[in-house]
């Protein structure tokens, strides 16, 4: 018997799915070898670090997280995805990053058959189920995040198959589906409980829907209800129980280390769930709508769905259940959905299913020609892809994403493989550990001032195992915090390498070799330091003015200086609509003394922000010094301003200094820290320096 030919609608739907699949594969291959430093690099790099650590050391329930010190574990989700990536990379020899991307993409494709089955349970005819799969493949959140180094597709795959198995298992006698629901539900709970949470809400809604129908229609309603409830509990209780047990176990590991205890479920609850006030704010819902229309369904497609899926809907379709499933994520885990667009990977599927039902209603609607109906669907698919191209693809195809950060290379060259890094000011960002291939102890903003916690962790380590201290961001302005660590860890008191916002201190035994190795690297953001021990060991970099990218920053000086020695990076500030040179102490402006020069004139001062509000600068010394050709130094002028205590020291100041007859050599305009050496809020400036 000759099989019946597929209808035109079936061939067209299947063709659209095939085109979207090819498009998805083609686009996903772009940037396959990128580093995880793309969108949400914090989470991507942390996942990659876990996978690499498992690859190198093996895995256990307390799998390695080399970010907080002994026991070197702070488990989040059960590492199903990471173990698979580590195993495949080890067996194939493929690099970790493309392996992680391919595995993540594979889990999306493994989820599609379950999505097809769920579309059937929603009442869609077989031809139109392909439209849902096509829509998934070109929707931005699935097109982009399915090829990132994240667990999202693994968790979604498990949750989708759980929901499909669960719904099939509710029917009496479907024991194989019940067993599948139990096993897959456990996997989903371990993979990512926040994803399963959304699907459990939809499962509960579908169960109540079924029970309502049984109450109206079943001959023995109580027997039918009892059977449904028992099968629902049998399918879900094991997953909930084991998921809860995993959370308790992982919390035990986290709190065993005082530096990682903040990641336990209790301390993280406020961040994860947000507050009632947040849920009621206009800002929250504006952000949720932005994530929705940018990542899941664009405005045009959403409008079509509302019109044909709600306003013109006929019959009792499960649209409200799908919408409720979509809203469950942001309503329950408000702050996570507010901050992270990739969390819509879990609940976006329900909004896309709602769109598929609306398309089904559109195709059945009278008064529209078939070409017009299919044009709407084609336009929706095209606009989904265009939204991806605008929001995500530029980052994905940027060749810079394939390059590791310079800091990792610097630390790898400056330390040995077994060394441990202490990092202050980067929260618990895994990038330092991942790209340097070193274990790190991250001092987050919360714990950095808790010396007892750090003391406990350091006591667990072998002597002299911490060989580098990285101080970055605001933390570098508080030497009173990190200077004692330098002595305790036997690190050199002066930073060996600096950037505009980072200091790197090394063990004494590493300094000489590190300087030699680093001198061979093509560094762009980092510099080997020049250190004046008389300034309390504050590391600074020398910048020849002729090589500055923006030489105009010294345009207010005549002649221009020949060099700048700066603790950060030369730049300007705006003071009362006037551009001034930022001379955060300690800074040196070095001028060649012009022949015949007799007078140096300058304007200077301390920025008002340094002594207003909560800031209270200790003060800054402004010194003019003549350095003769033979190296002899002579101070020509010095004034110490302390505007926090002396009102007269506030505002702009001027100086006029007579130069010695026949002066030669260099004239240094210096800003120096106060008596204790603190550079906190030492926001000094020079302007209108003139040598005549």
């Amino acid at each position: 018997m000759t099989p019946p030919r597929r209808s035109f609608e079936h061939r067209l739907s299947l063709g659209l799915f095939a085109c979207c699949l090819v498009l998805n594969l083609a686009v996903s291959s772009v940037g396959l070898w990128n580093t995880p430093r793309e969108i949400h690099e914090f989470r991507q790099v942390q996942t990659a670090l876990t996978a690499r650590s498992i690859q190198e050391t093996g895995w256990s329930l307390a799998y390695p997280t080399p970010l907080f010190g002994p026991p070197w574990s702070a488990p989040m989700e059960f590492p199903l995805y990471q173990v698979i990536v580590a195993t495949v990379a080890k067996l194939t020899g493929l690099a970790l990053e493309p392996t992680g991307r391919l595995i993540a993409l594979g889990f999306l494709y493994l989820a599609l058959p379950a999505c097809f089955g769920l579309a059937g349970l929603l009442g869609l005819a077989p031809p139109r189920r392909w439209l849902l799969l096509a829509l998934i493949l070109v929707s931005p959140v699935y097109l982009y995040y399915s090829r990132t180094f994240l667990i999202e597709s693994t968790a979604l795959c498990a949750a989708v198959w759980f929901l499909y198995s669960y719904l099939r298992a509710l029917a009496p006698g479907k024991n194989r589906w019940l067993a599948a629901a139990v096993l897959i539900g456990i996997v989903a709970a371990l993979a990512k409980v926040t994803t399963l949470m959304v699907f459990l809400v939809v499962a509960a809604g579908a169960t109540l829907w079924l029970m309502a129908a049984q109450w109206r229609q079943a001959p023995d309603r109580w027997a039918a209800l009892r059977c449904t409830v028992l099968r629902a509990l049998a399918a879900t209780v094991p997953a909930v129980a084991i998921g809860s047990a995993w959370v308790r176990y992982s919390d035990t590991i986290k709190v065993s280390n005082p530096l990682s205890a903040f990641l336990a479920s209790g301390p993280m609850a406020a961040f994860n769930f947000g507050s009632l006030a947040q849920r009621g704010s206009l800002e929250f819902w504006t952000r949720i709508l932005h994530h929705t229309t940018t990542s899941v369904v664009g405005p045009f497609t959403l409008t079509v769905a509302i019109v044909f899926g709600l306003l013109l809907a006929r019959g009792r379709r499960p649209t409200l259940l799908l919408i409720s499933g979509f809203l469950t994520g942001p309503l329950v885990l408000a702050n996570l959905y507010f901050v992270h667009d990739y969390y819509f990977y879990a609940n976006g599927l329900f909004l896309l299913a709602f769109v598929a039902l609306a398309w089904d209603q559109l195709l059945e609607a009278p008064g529209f020609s078939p070409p017009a109906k299919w044009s709407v669907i084609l336009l929706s698919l095209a606009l989904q892809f265009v939204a991806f191209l605008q929001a995500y693809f530029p980052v994905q195809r940027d060749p810079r994403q394939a390059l590791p950060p310079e800091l990792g290379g610097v630390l790898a060259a400056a330390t040995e493989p077994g060394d441990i890094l202490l990092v202050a000011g980067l929260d618990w960002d895994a990038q330092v550990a991942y790209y340097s291939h070193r274990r790190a102890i991250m001092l987050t903003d919360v714990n950095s001032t808790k010396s007892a916690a750090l003391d406990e962790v350091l006591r667990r380590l072998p002597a002299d195992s911490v060989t580098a201290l990285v101080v970055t961001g605001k933390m570098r302005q508080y030497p009173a915090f990190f200077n004692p660590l330098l002595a305790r860890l036997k690190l050199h008191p002066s930073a060996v390498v600096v950037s505009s916002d980072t200091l790197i201190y090394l063990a004494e035994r590493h300094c000489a070799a590190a300087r030699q190795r680093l001198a061979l690297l093509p560094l762009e953001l980092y510099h080997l330091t020049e250190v004046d021990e008389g300034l309390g060991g504050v590391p600074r970099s020398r910048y020849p003015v002729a090589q500055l990218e923006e030489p105009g920053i010294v345009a207010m000086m005549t002649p221009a200086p020949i060099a700048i020695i700066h603790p950060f990076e030369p730049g300007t500030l705006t003071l009362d609509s006037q551009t001034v040179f930022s001379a955060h102490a300690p800074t040196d402006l070095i001028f060649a003394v012009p022949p015949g020069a007799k007078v140096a004139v300058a304007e200077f001062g301390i920025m008002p922000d340094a002594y207003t509000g909560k800031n209270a600068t200790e003060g800054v010394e402004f010194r003019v010094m003549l350095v003769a050709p033979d190296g002899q130094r002579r101070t020509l002028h010095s004034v110490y301003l302390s505007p926090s205590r002396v009102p007269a020291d506030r505002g702009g100041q001027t100086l006029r200094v007579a130069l010695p007859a026949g002066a030669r050599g260099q004239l240094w305009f210096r800003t120096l820290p106060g008596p204790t050496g603190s550079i906190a809020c030492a926001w000094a400036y020079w302007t209108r320096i003139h040598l005549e």
Side-chain angles (χ1 to χ4, degrees), residues 481-681:
F481 163 68
F482 59 81
N483 278 342
L485 288 174
L486 301 176
R488 176 176 180 175
L489 300 174
K490 300 178 183 178
L491 305 182
H492 193 277
S494 301
V496 173
V497 185
V498 301
S499 73
S500 61
D501 66 347
T502 303
L503 310 174
I504 301 175
Y505 298 86
L506 299 176
E508 296 273 4
R509 65 182 185 276
H510 284 343
C511 287
R515 283 188 174 275
Q516 292 178 357
R517 290 193 294 264
L518 291 168
L520 301 176
L521 296 181
L523 301 179
E524 297 181 4
L525 302 177
Y526 289 81
H527 312 277
L528 290 168
T529 58
E530 293 191 11
V531 177
D532 185 340
E533 299 297 341
L535 299 180
V538 176
R540 306 183 297 161
S541 297
R542 178 182 289 264
Y543 300 87
V545 171
Q547 298 178 15
L548 291 177
E549 293 185 4
E550 298 182 15
I553 64 174
V554 293
M556 71 288 291
M557 304 174 189
T558 308
I562 58 175
I564 301 168
I565 303 177
H566 207 288
F568 300 100
E569 191 168 348
T572 60
L573 301 169
T574 300
L575 177 64
D576 297 332
S577 302
Q578 179 186 9
T579 299
V580 299
F581 179 81
S582 174
H584 192 305
T587 292
D588 292 322
L589 288 166
I590 305 173
F591 296 80
V593 178
K598 298 180 180 179
V599 177
V601 181
E603 297 179 9
F604 60 97
I606 298 176
M607 298 296 291
D609 288 346
Y611 52 84
T612 56
K614 295 182 180 180
N615 297 324
T617 178
E618 182 181 88
V620 176
E621 178 189 355
F622 295 80
R623 183 185 300 177
V624 180
M625 187 172 66
L626 179 65
V627 180
D630 60 3
Q632 292 188 5
R633 300 186 174 196
R634 176 180 174 185
T635 297
L636 303 181
H637 181 83
S638 175
V639 60
Y640 177 70
L641 300 183
S642 181
S644 298
R645 297 187 299 270
V646 182
D649 289 347
R650 300 171 184 175
Q653 312 285 323
T654 60
L655 62 82
R656 183 179 180 88
V657 179
L659 304 182
R664 294 183 304 118
Q666 297 175 346
L667 204 60
W668 288 40
F669 285 73
R670 316 193 69 187
T671 54
L672 307 173
T676 68
S678 172
I679 64 171
C681 303

Side-chain angles (χ1 to χ4, degrees), residues 16 135 138 300-301 304 359 371-387:
L16 285 175
L135 181 60
V138 294
F300 173 80
T301 303
V304 171
W359 285 352
K373 296 174 181 179
W374 284 101
S375 295
V376 170
I377 294 173
L378 288 170
L379 181 59
S380 293
L381 291 172
L383 290 176
Q384 292 289 96
F385 186 69
V386 169

Side-chain angles (χ1 to χ4, degrees), residues 334-408:
N335 195 56
L336 289 177
Y337 277 80
F338 179 82
V339 175
H340 306 112
D341 62 337
Y342 69 82
Y343 262 81
F344 286 78
Y345 199 98
N347 68 332
L349 188 65
F350 298 109
L351 191 57
L352 297 185
F354 169 55
V355 172
L357 287 181
W359 285 352
D360 182 64
Q361 185 72 36
L362 167 65
L363 292 173
E364 296 294 330
F368 298 93
S369 66
K373 296 174 181 179
W374 284 101
S375 295
V376 170
I377 294 173
L378 288 170
L379 181 59
S380 293
L381 291 172
L383 290 176
Q384 292 289 96
F385 186 69
V386 169
F388 160 77
L389 293 178
Q390 294 174 339
Y392 295 102
F393 194 59
V395 175
Q396 180 179 332
R397 69 178 177 181
D398 188 343
R400 291 174 296 180
Q401 303 300 337
L403 301 176
E406 190 172 291
L407 177 59

Side-chain angles (χ1 to χ4, degrees), residues 34-302:
N34 282 359
T35 69
R37 296 175 59 226
E38 294 185 346
I39 300 173
H40 293 294
E41 60 184 335
F42 189 105
R43 182 60 167 146
Q44 289 203 57
V45 175
Q46 186 262 322
T47 307
L49 176 64
T50 299
R52 191 180 69 194
S53 299
I54 291 172
Q55 181 185 25
E56 295 173 348
T57 65
W59 84 280
S60 65
L61 288 179
Y63 59 86
T65 313
L67 294 174
F68 303 105
W72 299 110
S73 178
M76 306 293 281
E77 67 284 337
F78 188 84
L80 174 64
Y81 167 75
Q82 294 93 323
V83 169
I84 294 174
V85 171
T87 303
V88 172
K90 196 169 186 177
L91 292 176
T92 62
L94 187 64
L96 194 69
E97 286 88 350
T99 301
R101 297 183 187 281
L102 290 172
I103 295 298
L105 189 61
F107 273 113
L108 171 69
Y109 298 151
L110 285 175
L112 294 181
C115 295
F116 189 89
L118 287 172
L121 296 180
L122 289 173
L124 291 177
R128 297 176 186 178
R129 299 174 198 175
W130 295 108
L131 295 178
L132 172 60
L133 304 192
L135 181 60
I136 294 171
L137 289 171
V138 294
S139 291
V141 70
Y142 298 104
L143 190 52
Y144 177 74
Y145 285 113
S146 296
R147 38 79 57 203
T148 56
F149 213 123
L150 291 171
I151 65 173
E152 306 311 309
S153 61
T154 307
L156 182 75
C157 181
V160 169
W161 276 107
F162 160 75
L163 182 60
Y164 181 62
S165 302
Y166 172 87
L167 295 177
R168 295 293 301 271
L170 290 181
K174 299 292 186 178
N175 293 331
R176 291 185 178 180
W177 284 110
L178 179 60
V182 171
L183 294 176
I184 299 173
I186 291 172
V187 173
L190 293 173
K192 190 168 185 178
V193 69
T194 56
T195 297
L196 179 61
M197 185 184 303
V198 175
F199 282 76
L200 284 175
V201 170
V202 175
T207 304
L208 293 175
W209 187 304
L210 173 61
M211 292 172 65
Q214 290 172 334
W215 180 260
R216 293 190 306 269
Q217 302 169 7
D220 188 348
R221 63 178 62 170
W222 290 110
L225 292 175
R226 182 171 58 253
C227 178
T228 298
V229 170
L230 290 176
R231 297 182 75 83
L233 292 175
T236 56
V237 168
V240 173
I242 292 180
S244 300
W246 170 258
V247 171
R248 291 194 299 271
Y249 171 77
S250 61
D251 279 353
T252 301
I253 302 299
K254 293 169 189 170
V255 299
S256 69
N257 183 328
L259 291 181
S260 62
F262 74 99
L263 290 173
S265 57
M268 288 294 291
F271 178 82
N272 293 337
F273 294 100
S275 64
L276 289 176
Q278 183 182 32
R279 290 170 175 81
S281 68
L282 178 62
E283 179 188 11
F284 173 77
W285 289 107
T286 301
R287 184 71 171 270
I288 295 301
L289 180 61
H290 170 76
H291 285 328
T292 300
T293 55
T294 301
S295 303
V296 186
V297 174
F300 173 80
T301 303
L302 186 59

